[in-house]
Amino acid sequence: GPPRLLLAASEFEESALGVLGALGLGWSAYDVVSRRAGEWALERRDEASPVAAPRRPRSRGRGGAGRTSRSAPESGPERSEEPSARAADDTAEARPRSSRSTRGRGARAATDRAPRDVEERPPAAESKESKEKETSGPRFDEVSLFDLDDDSSRDADSDRGARRRGRGRRRGRRGRGSASTAEESGDGGDPPAEIRTDEKPDDRSRRPGRRHPQPVQEESAEDDGLGDDETLPALADDLPEVEVPELSYEDEDPAEEGDAEADGARKERELRRRARLAKTVDRTPLPEAAPRTPRRRAAFVAHADRQSVLTAVLLARDARLVEGFWVYPQEDLMTFFRSIATDLREETPIYLVGFNASPPARDTIQAAALYRGRLDWYDHHDWPPEDIVTLQQAIGEEAVHIDPGAGSSLAGVIAERTRRSRFSDKLAELATGRFTQHDYERWGRVWWHRLGEICTRRGERRSDVEPLLVGRPSDLAKEAARVTPPPPPPEVEYVAQRDFRLVHFGGYVMVVLEVPESLDLHLMARIARERYDAQLSLAYATGGELLVLGGDEGRSRRGLDLGSMADHLATKHEWISALRDDDHVARIRIANLHAFPERLDEVIGEIAMGRSIVEG
C-alpha cells in the first residue's frame, strides 16, 4: 500500500505540527499514556493545534529587487473561522526560539498516513481545509522577467535606502526602506496589508510589468543578538577581484612540451602495459606492509656505467634528500664499505645500484650485513642462487632487488619508485634509447657524453650530477647551449661501418644486430633503426642471452605492443623468459643462446608470424 511515515519524540513543538498540516496530507497525533503498571496505550488527540503554513522563502538577489515576500495573512471568512489558531501561530512566532517548545503529557507520535486516513478526521476539519485551499493564493509568488535586470540597475537599486543586515538568521526583508515590523506594532498580531514608505519612486525600478513584493514583518532582534541600531556596513562596489594563482607541477616546463606524439605514445604504452599486467597479476591478498621509516638523507653508490648512474639519479630524485653520490667500479665496492660507509651517520640509508657480490662474495655480503635495516641493493647481473639467499638473510629479503640477466636495474627501480615526474621519465627514455630528437639535440647529447666521463672517475660525484638531481630540461638546454657540442658517440661510427640483417614482414622492417659489450645496447638499436628506416629492432649483446625488442612508435603506422610480443614468446617456448618491462622496454632472455644460435632464428620467425600481436 502507500507508504506511511511515523514520527515519534518525547515532545513536539507546535511549529512541527504546523508543518504537517501545511503538507496537505492526512495525519493524526497520539499521546502515549500509561493505563496501569507496565501497560501503555495510544490516546488520539481529538483536535490538534493547527499552525498556519510556513512563510515562503525569499530570493537572495542583490539590492532587494526580485525578492519574494511572505504571504500576507488571509482576510475575510478565513480569519473569522480560525481566530484561535492564527493567534496561537502569531504568538509562537513572536516569542524567541528558545521558548517555543511545549511539553505535553507523555510522548507524542505523529504519523504521516495515506489519504485513506483522511476519512477519520472530523467533517468540520475537512471543510476548513477545503475552504482554505479555495481561498488561498498560489503557493509561490510570480516573479517578473524585469526582476532579472543587469548588474548596473541592481547596483543602483541597492544604493537606495538602508539595508538591514543580520549576522544570524534574520527573517526581515532587506529591501528598499521597509522598516515596519510586527514587533514595532506591539500587538503581535497580523501585519497591515499595506505599508507605505517615504522613499520616492524611481523610474528605473518602476518599469512596466515589475512586481513589487509586499513588505513583510520582521522578527525580533533577539533572534540574532543585534539591536535595532546594529547593522553591518554595505560592501563597496569597487572591491578588487581576488586572483587565484595557477598551480604547476615541479618538473613541468611548458617550453619542453614540444613533442605531442611522444607524449601520446608514452601514454599508450602505459595503458597497454597496465592492461597486460591486469591479465597476469596474482589476485592473492598481499601481506600487510611494514610501517615506513621516516625519510632521511640517503647515500647513493652507482656502478661505473651509464645505466647504473642514471638509475641511481632516478632513485636520488625520488628520495630528494641526498647525503652523497659515489661512483665506483666493481672492484672498489669493498673500499666504500670499509672507508666511506663507516663515516656516515648510523641512520643514513644506503642504496647500491649495479653491483654484484664479488669478489669475493662472502666478504662482500658480510660487510653488507653490518648495515642491515638501512641498505637496499639493486642489481641486474647473474647471481648464484645461494648468494642471493645469503644476501637476503644478511640485509633482509625486502631490501634485495635483483633481476638476473636484465642488463639494467632501471626497471626494478621504476617499479619500486613512488614519485614520478616528467623529467624523470625523460631521463629513463635517455637511458633506454627512446628519447625524442628534440630532447637529444637540446641537452641529451651533452649529458650522454658527460655521463660517460663521470663513469671514468671514481669517488664522490654529487657535484657532477647535481643538475640532473634538481634541474629541469630548460635549465639543461641553456647550459648545453653554452658549451662546445661533444663528438658523436662511438655507437654511430660502429653502425655506419657495418651492415646488419634486415627482416621484412607484413609491411614492417626489423633490423637484427649484435652489440659489443663496450657499447650501449639501446643506443645501438636506436641508431640502427634510423639508418635503415626500420620500425623494429632486435638487439643482443655478444656472448649474452638478453634480447631487446625495440621500436619507434611515432614512425609506425599503428601503435606497437612489444610487451605483448615478449609475453607471447615466453609462453611459446620454455627456453624463453620475459623480463619485467616497467621502463617500457620489451626484454626476453634465451637460455644458452651462445650454444644454440638457431634459437635466434626461431624468435625472429615467431615475431614475423605474430604481426597482429605487435600491432596490439
Side-chain angles (χ1 to χ4, degrees):
R4 304 174 66 185
L5 176 64
L6 172 66
L7 303 178
S10 59
E11 62 182 26
F12 282 95
E13 294 184 359
E14 296 296 338
S15 57
L17 299 179
V19 171
L20 296 178
L23 294 178
L25 302 174
W27 64 280
S28 301
Y30 297 87
D31 290 335
V32 181
V33 297
S34 176
R35 298 296 187 187
R36 289 188 298 273
E39 295 185 3
W40 299 85
L42 290 178
E43 180 178 335
R44 179 170 178 174
R45 296 168 58 183
D46 296 335
E47 294 183 359
S49 299
V51 182
R55 293 179 173 86
R56 302 180 181 92
R58 298 164 296 160
S59 65
R60 299 186 181 274
R62 295 178 57 187
R67 294 193 178 106
T68 58
S69 62
R70 303 191 186 104
S71 60
E74 291 118 350
S75 60
E78 293 295 325
R79 298 181 60 181
S80 61
E81 289 177 2
E82 299 177 353
S84 59
R86 296 196 176 277
D89 180 23
D90 296 336
T91 304
E93 292 178 352
R95 291 195 304 267
R97 292 185 178 89
S98 59
S99 62
R100 288 185 180 180
S101 62
T102 59
R103 301 184 178 274
R105 177 184 55 183
R108 297 180 181 175
T111 309
D112 186 3
R113 307 183 62 180
R116 63 174 179 270
D117 296 337
V118 179
E119 300 178 358
E120 302 177 2
R121 304 183 63 181
E126 295 181 0
S127 61
K128 291 180 182 180
E129 283 187 352
S130 59
K131 190 170 295 183
E132 285 181 0
K133 293 179 180 180
E134 293 175 359
T135 58
S136 60
R139 296 187 61 83
F140 299 97
D141 290 343
E142 298 179 359
V143 180
S144 173
L145 293 178
F146 287 97
D147 293 340
L148 306 176
D149 206 345
D150 55 359
D151 294 341
S152 59
S153 62
R154 288 198 297 268
D155 294 341
D157 293 342
S158 62
D159 291 341
R160 303 191 321 272
R163 292 181 298 178
R164 305 186 53 155
R165 298 178 180 269
R167 292 189 297 269
R169 295 177 3 189
R170 297 286 298 272
R171 295 187 181 178
R173 179 191 175 197
R174 303 176 190 174
R176 297 181 284 272
S178 59
S180 299
T181 60
E183 289 78 14
E184 295 174 356
S185 60
D187 53 0
D190 297 334
E194 181 178 2
I195 298 179
R196 298 179 180 178
T197 59
D198 296 336
E199 66 176 348
K200 296 180 181 181
D202 191 1
D203 294 340
R204 290 177 298 179
S205 61
R206 299 297 181 181
R207 296 177 181 175
R210 181 183 290 275
R211 293 177 57 88
H212 296 277
Q214 296 181 359
V216 295
Q217 70 177 30
E218 295 181 345
E219 284 197 356
S220 173
E222 299 176 0
D223 293 343
D224 54 3
L226 292 177
D228 295 337
D229 298 334
E230 295 180 358
T231 58
L232 294 178
L235 297 177
D237 296 334
D238 56 349
L239 289 177
E241 296 184 357
V242 179
E243 297 183 359
V244 180
E246 295 184 359
L247 301 179
S248 60
Y249 291 99
E250 174 191 2
D251 297 315
E252 295 248 345
D253 189 0
E256 298 299 324
E257 308 299 327
D259 197 346
E261 295 182 358
D263 293 342
R266 185 187 301 108
K267 295 179 180 179
E268 187 177 356
R269 286 194 302 268
E270 182 68 20
L271 292 177
R272 288 198 301 266
R273 188 183 67 85
R274 293 180 180 179
R276 185 170 65 255
L277 291 178
K279 299 179 182 179
T280 60
V281 68
D282 190 5
R283 301 297 181 182
T284 57
L286 298 177
E288 296 184 1
R292 301 186 62 179
T293 58
R295 296 178 56 187
R296 298 184 177 92
R297 302 182 69 87
F300 299 88
V301 187
H303 185 263
D305 65 88
R306 286 190 180 96
Q307 296 290 331
S308 298
V309 172
L310 280 174
T311 302
V313 168
L314 292 179
L315 268 177
R317 286 180 59 84
D318 179 59
R320 297 188 181 184
L321 302 177
V322 181
E323 179 71 20
F325 195 98
W326 290 268
V327 177
Y328 287 106
Q330 177 64 46
E331 57 270 14
D332 290 344
L333 178 59
M334 290 299 296
T335 302
F336 171 80
F337 281 132
R338 293 170 180 173
S339 60
I340 305 300
T342 55
D343 296 336
L344 298 175
R345 291 188 291 267
E346 294 184 358
E347 67 276 4
T348 301
I350 301 174
Y351 295 92
L352 297 180
V353 181
F355 294 95
N356 55 29
S358 61
R362 180 173 176 273
D363 296 340
T364 305
I365 295 177
Q366 286 181 354
L370 300 176
Y371 307 97
R372 180 185 177 92
R374 58 191 183 101
L375 176 63
D376 284 78
W377 198 310
Y378 293 87
D379 190 32
H380 58 275
H381 294 95
D382 287 326
W383 287 50
E386 59 274 13
D387 290 347
I388 296 180
V389 175
T390 305
L391 181 63
Q392 292 176 348
Q393 296 175 353
I395 65 175
E397 184 178 355
E398 68 283 352
V400 178
H401 314 276
I402 298 178
D403 296 326
S408 172
S409 304
L410 183 61
V413 168
I414 292 180
E416 300 292 335
R417 199 176 66 214
T418 57
R419 185 180 71 94
R420 297 188 62 180
S421 63
R422 293 293 303 273
F423 186 44
S424 297
D425 292 340
K426 290 180 181 295
L427 291 178
E429 292 174 355
L430 181 64
T432 57
R434 293 184 293 104
F435 49 82
T436 62
Q437 192 68 21
H438 176 268
D439 292 336
Y440 187 78
E441 291 177 354
R442 295 194 66 186
W443 59 271
R445 179 179 176 181
V446 173
W447 274 99
W448 186 260
H449 180 74
R450 288 185 178 180
L451 289 172
E453 293 180 346
I454 293 174
C455 295
T456 59
R457 308 168 188 171
R458 61 185 64 183
E460 228 287 334
R461 301 265 73 89
R462 177 179 177 181
S463 59
D464 296 335
V465 300
E466 187 72 19
L468 298 180
L469 297 177
V470 299
R472 302 171 64 180
S474 59
D475 301 332
L476 300 181
K478 294 177 183 178
E479 182 186 2
R482 296 191 296 263
V483 301
T484 303
E491 288 82 0
V492 176
E493 182 181 0
Y494 187 88
V495 173
Q497 295 178 354
R498 290 166 176 80
D499 294 331
F500 299 96
R501 178 181 179 183
L502 299 179
V503 180
H504 299 262
F505 62 94
Y508 290 96
V509 178
M510 183 175 66
V511 55
V512 182
L513 63 160
E514 182 179 357
V515 181
E517 295 183 359
S518 60
L519 301 180
D520 187 79
L521 188 67
H522 304 282
L523 185 59
M524 279 278 295
R526 169 67 179 263
I527 297 174
R529 291 196 303 267
E530 293 179 354
R531 176 189 175 185
Y532 293 101
D533 195 18
Q535 296 86 12
L536 299 174
S537 63
L538 186 63
Y540 62 96
T542 303
E545 299 178 347
L546 174 66
L547 272 71
V548 176
L549 179 61
D552 295 330
E553 297 185 356
R555 302 173 56 192
S556 61
R557 295 170 298 178
R558 305 178 182 86
L560 301 179
D561 192 359
L562 304 181
S564 297
M565 174 55 69
D567 294 339
H568 169 71
L569 294 174
T571 57
K572 192 74 174 178
H573 300 282
E574 60 181 5
W575 40 268
I576 298 178
S577 57
L579 305 179
R580 63 194 317 169
D581 59 346
D582 295 270
D583 55 348
H584 305 289
V585 176
R587 300 181 178 91
I588 59 175
R589 186 174 185 179
I590 301 179
N592 298 324
L593 178 60
H594 59 282
F596 302 95
E598 65 275 5
R599 292 182 176 180
L600 178 62
D601 295 332
E602 295 186 30
V603 171
I604 295 175
E606 291 291 342
I607 295 176
M609 290 186 295
R611 184 190 62 178
S612 59
I613 302 176
V614 174
E615 294 177 352

